[in-house]
């Protein structure tokens, strides 16, 4: 079964610092990749997704992620974080297989980002 | 255009009681997924349903848990005879039937506390 690893459980940054959150997955086949964000007290929102094509994908609020197939990674980046980016970030994977389980997302354990003003 | 709706948002049950969690998918979405998030963990897939069909329940505990998505009305996740270990946030997601069906949209979750 596939798994997703987010190595940083809690990241603390000052405003304007650059951000990179790691995400690695274990699955040998083709995958769809997602980053979700959960702001305090709110539900999960899709930040960005990768299905195919350009491995550098841009999402909302200035976030981007790069899919490196050889490293099984999909790291999230933002050049300059803001206090409002304080949230929990989840990486998720969906393998492209034909059975019904192709729909389920496998999530990492999440990274709590705290941005200090 | 309402998003995924879940109710109740918070639910407290005593051990041994039943918990019923409801999920109304986004308009036009016919696929529903339930996930559970235990403290300090990521979301874990439980079950995937289409109208009147359970497609994949590989993540559901074998006992006490059941899910349905009737032709009319919301999807229901039912937990019978709850135990303390069932305390968690339960999230529902929905996706459209065809184009972009890999994109799942999440509801606000139901936080179940078992006392």
């Amino acid at each position: 079964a596939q798994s997703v690893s987010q190595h940083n459980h809690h990241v603390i940054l000052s405003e304007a610092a650059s951000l990179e959150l790691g995400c690695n997955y274990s699955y040998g086949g083709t995958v769809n990749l997602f980053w979700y964000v959960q702001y305090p007290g709110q539900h999960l929102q899709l930040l960005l997704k990768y299905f195919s094509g350009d491995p550098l994908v841009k999402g909302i609020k200035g976030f981007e992620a790069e899919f490196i197939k050889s490293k099984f990674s999909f790291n999230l980046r933002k050049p300059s974080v803001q206090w409002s980016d304080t949230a929990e970030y989840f990486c998720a994977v969906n393998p492209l297989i034909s059975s019904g389980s192709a729909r389920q997302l496998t999530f990492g354990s999440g990274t709590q980002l705290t941005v200090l003003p | 255009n309402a998003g995924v709706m879940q109710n109740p948002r918070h639910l407290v049950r005593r051990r041994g009681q039943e918990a019923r969690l409801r999920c109304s998918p986004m308009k036009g979405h016919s696929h529903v997924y339930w996930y559970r998030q235990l403290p300090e963990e990521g979301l874990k897939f439980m079950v995937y349903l289409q109208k009147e069909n359970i497609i994949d329940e590989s993540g559901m505990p074998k006992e006490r848990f059941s899910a349905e998505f009737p032709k009319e009305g919301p999807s229901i996740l039912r937990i019978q005879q709850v135990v303390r270990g069932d305390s968690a946030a339960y999230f529902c997601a929905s996706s459209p039937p065809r184009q972009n069906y890999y994109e799942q949209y999440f509801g606000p979750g139901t936080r179940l506390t078992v006392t």
Side-chain angles (χ1 to χ4, degrees), chain A residues 31-91:
Chain A
V31 293
N32 295 324
L33 297 154
F34 305 84
W35 274 97
Y36 282 86
V37 60
Q38 188 173 27
Y39 296 103
Q42 297 188 26
H43 60 279
L44 278 165
Q45 299 173 41
L46 182 64
L47 254 186
L48 48 77
K49 60 186 183 287
Y50 173 80
F51 289 167
S52 63
D54 188 344
L56 184 63
V57 293
K58 295 194 184 298
I60 59 172
K61 303 187 181 186
F63 286 90
E64 65 179 29
E66 184 175 14
F67 170 48
I68 303 179
K69 189 174 181 180
S70 60
K71 295 184 178 180
F72 299 92
S73 70
F74 190 55
N75 292 354
L76 180 71
R77 299 195 292 246
K78 185 170 183 179
S80 176
V81 294
Q82 301 172 317
W83 176 77
S84 58
D85 293 326
T86 294
E88 189 151 22
Y89 293 80
F90 293 94
C91 180

Side-chain angles (χ1 to χ4, degrees), chain B residues 11-23:
Chain B
L11 182 61
V12 179
R13 285 287 178 266
R14 291 199 181 95
R15 278 181 298 172
Q17 291 184 320
E18 178 180 285
R20 281 187 173 230
L21 288 62
R22 294 174 184 77
C23 169

